[in-house]
Amino acid sequence: MLDWNPALYRRYEDERTRPAQDLLARVPLAQAAHVVDLGCGPGNSTELLVQRFPGAAVTGVDNSEPMLASARERLPQARFAWGDIATWAPREADGPAPDLIYANAALQWVPGHETLVPRLFSALAPGGVLAIQMPDNRQEPTHRLMREVAAQAPWAEPIGDADKLRTELLGINGYYDLLAPVAAQVDVWHTIYQHPMASAAAIVEWVRSTGLKPYVDRLPPKLQASYLAEYERRVAAAYAPRADGKRLLAFPRLFIVARKTA
């Protein structure tokens, strides 16, 4: 997959930051010395952490150099480091174990949640908190249509198995069962956000910087254009204009906040 585009991602930054705020609001920590933002992107979520814990050492981790460059420009007071969430672990050189490991809209790209989530939880300091938010929209029209178009000629061959381009989530019960036996407290919930979008093209622009990216990146330029045109046609049919002419984009998200025994 080609690298991430910070400018495209930030076009809907207010909408993307809202669930990050909602996740942080449920973190039961009055203070923290060491905070890690996994999958920090352009730093919009890291900025929330810096504001919430002004005395903490805050580290943003991402595997995209353009995203890290954007984050460093935005928050020169924070530390940003390249890292792969699938193998990431706190280093002794970075100080004590994290009081908060925060992952907003990142873990849905990482496989093996059955081992990943408990491993991240185990890396916390005593009394620390693991806070996760992930889009849970595989069955929404935006994402079903991605797969449907990708399964048709002439796009199917270069894209390959569309079902494998994103991690299958375990569901609220699955994550609760992973963490409840080892945590002092587990809070899990769903929120469905409703985003008024100006047009079907705006919906496509939104998802092109995230969920649609693995599909488009696998196509040569000529097929990219035809794939996006067909996808937008189907999105327009799936999201009817409302009374004001805008289209409501339903966006379900799954939240997990687990606290370690002190």
Side-chain angles (χ1 to χ4, degrees):
M1 189 166 70
L2 300 178
D3 217 330
W4 297 89
N5 184 331
L8 183 59
Y9 183 90
R10 293 179 68 169
R11 287 180 192 172
Y12 296 98
E13 183 170 304
D14 288 347
E15 291 87 350
R16 297 188 198 281
T17 303
R18 182 179 167 192
Q21 294 169 328
D22 292 346
L23 175 64
L24 187 55
R26 299 277 279 269
V27 170
L29 289 175
Q31 57 187 7
H34 184 195
V35 173
V36 177
D37 185 9
L38 289 181
C40 63
N44 55 311
S45 54
T46 319
E47 189 170 36
L48 300 176
L49 298 171
V50 169
Q51 293 168 351
R52 169 77 178 268
F53 302 106
V58 178
T59 301
V61 177
D62 207 282
N63 64 356
S64 165
E65 289 293 352
M67 286 292 199
L68 290 169
S70 180
R72 291 185 182 112
E73 182 178 352
R74 179 180 192 145
L75 291 170
Q77 72 272 41
R79 177 179 178 271
F80 293 94
W82 189 96
D84 184 347
I85 295 173
T87 57
W88 176 87
R91 305 180 308 166
E92 290 186 13
D94 295 332
D99 301 296
L100 172 62
I101 296 175
Y102 178 93
N104 179 68
L107 297 194
Q108 73 274 13
W109 298 110
V110 186
H113 284 196
E114 294 88 347
T115 55
L116 173 68
V117 172
R119 179 174 63 78
L120 294 177
F121 184 78
S122 70
L124 291 165
V129 172
L130 176 64
I132 297 167
Q133 182 274 122
M134 295 177 288
D136 194 9
N137 50 6
R138 281 178 61 90
Q139 300 310 316
E140 291 299 307
T142 46
H143 287 63
R144 285 192 290 101
L145 293 174
M146 289 177 196
R147 299 191 297 273
E148 288 178 11
V149 179
Q152 297 183 359
W155 312 290
E157 185 175 349
I159 290 176
D161 188 350
D163 284 334
K164 294 182 178 179
L165 296 184
R166 184 160 150 182
T167 299
E168 188 77 55
L169 301 189
L170 305 180
I172 278 187
N173 291 340
Y175 292 107
Y176 185 88
D177 288 345
L178 273 182
L179 292 164
V182 293
Q185 177 187 357
V186 181
D187 187 9
V188 290
W189 73 97
H190 265 120
T191 298
I192 302 177
Y193 296 86
Q194 300 287 342
H195 300 292
M197 305 296 288
S199 62
I203 295 174
V204 175
E205 181 182 60
W206 172 305
V207 298
R208 187 170 180 180
S209 66
T210 53
L212 192 60
K213 190 176 187 302
Y215 298 84
V216 176
D217 284 357
R218 294 183 177 212
L219 296 170
K222 184 176 181 179
L223 288 184
Q224 285 185 10
S226 61
Y227 176 90
L228 289 170
E230 176 61 18
Y231 177 65
E232 183 177 328
R233 185 187 70 80
R234 297 188 187 204
V235 166
Y239 293 89
R242 309 317 311 163
D244 60 357
K246 294 183 178 180
R247 300 168 193 252
L248 276 180
L249 174 62
F251 205 124
R253 295 181 183 267
L254 188 153
F255 295 78
I256 309 159
V257 177
R259 186 164 194 174
K260 202 169 187 178
T261 301

